[in-house]
Amino acid sequence: MTVPAKPYKIPESVLVVIYTPAQDVLLIRRADAPDFWQSVTGSKNTVDEPLTLTASREVYEETGIDCRPGTPLSARLRAWNVSNVYSIYPQWRWRYAPGVLRNTEHLFGLCVPERIEPVLEPREHDAWQWLPFRQAADACFSPSNAEAILLMPKFLE
């Protein structure tokens, strides 16, 4: 029996900055790159998957924080209507179809009432920390993630 190959990732993703009203930001550390602190990120599962669904699914999968439709936190997940197009890091290009070199990333924010202890997916992330937003931006490996965190105060509820 042949195991079907995993489909290529869709080069359209979300980045979700999780923050508190006190402007603390949750960062999670990649298990496959221990110096890489980041916000929640993830690609669409299907081309027609709504971005808000992608964002809520990725938040739940990566942190256990449930902001999926119908939950109390769902209204706190907001599209920021900002997108970044960036070159896919060489070490992760194998996940995409041959010749795909760029990804479009859509920014979201999730304002939680207070610091929540996340439940990480250990194959993806192995540590977490809450930091004041400027320190969180400085700790991110990705320039676009750092820029997104610095935008957060404009979206405070």
Side-chain angles (χ1 to χ4, degrees):
M1 175 185 262
T2 305
V3 177
K6 189 173 182 180
Y8 291 118
K9 287 183 74 159
I10 297 167
E12 188 171 14
S13 66
V14 296
L15 182 144
V16 184
V17 177
I18 300 174
Y19 61 95
T20 68
Q23 301 184 28
D24 292 327
V25 172
L26 177 65
L27 292 182
I28 50 183
R29 185 174 67 192
R30 293 188 63 93
D32 62 357
D35 293 333
F36 286 17
W37 287 93
Q38 64 182 72
S39 294
V40 168
T41 62
S43 296
K44 294 172 105 180
N45 274 345
T46 62
V47 173
D48 60 348
E49 181 179 41
L51 290 167
T52 301
L53 186 58
T54 304
S56 64
R57 175 180 50 76
E58 288 293 335
V59 167
Y60 185 70
E61 288 174 4
E62 294 186 10
T63 68
I65 298 170
D66 198 353
C67 63
R68 294 174 296 177
T71 64
L73 287 177
S74 66
R76 293 175 158 266
L77 177 67
R78 301 252 168 87
W80 287 355
N81 299 317
V82 176
S83 298
N84 298 310
V85 177
Y86 63 85
S87 295
I88 298 166
Y89 285 93
Q91 67 263 40
W92 292 308
R93 285 190 188 144
W94 62 271
R95 297 176 177 171
Y96 298 86
V100 173
L101 303 175
R102 300 179 71 71
N103 183 71
T104 301
E105 174 182 77
H106 304 274
L107 305 185
F108 283 77
L110 174 62
C111 184
V112 295
E114 59 191 8
R115 291 179 175 202
I116 296 172
E117 183 173 335
V119 177
L120 302 180
E121 163 46 57
R123 289 171 293 173
E124 289 192 60
H125 300 96
D126 62 6
W128 58 272
Q129 60 182 331
W130 284 96
L131 294 171
F133 84 98
R134 290 187 193 280
Q135 289 177 20
D138 289 343
C140 285
F141 81 94
S142 162
S144 65
N145 195 162
E147 290 171 12
I149 290 170
L150 292 174
L151 284 175
M152 179 271 303
K154 295 180 181 182
F155 296 99
L156 282 174
E157 297 180 352

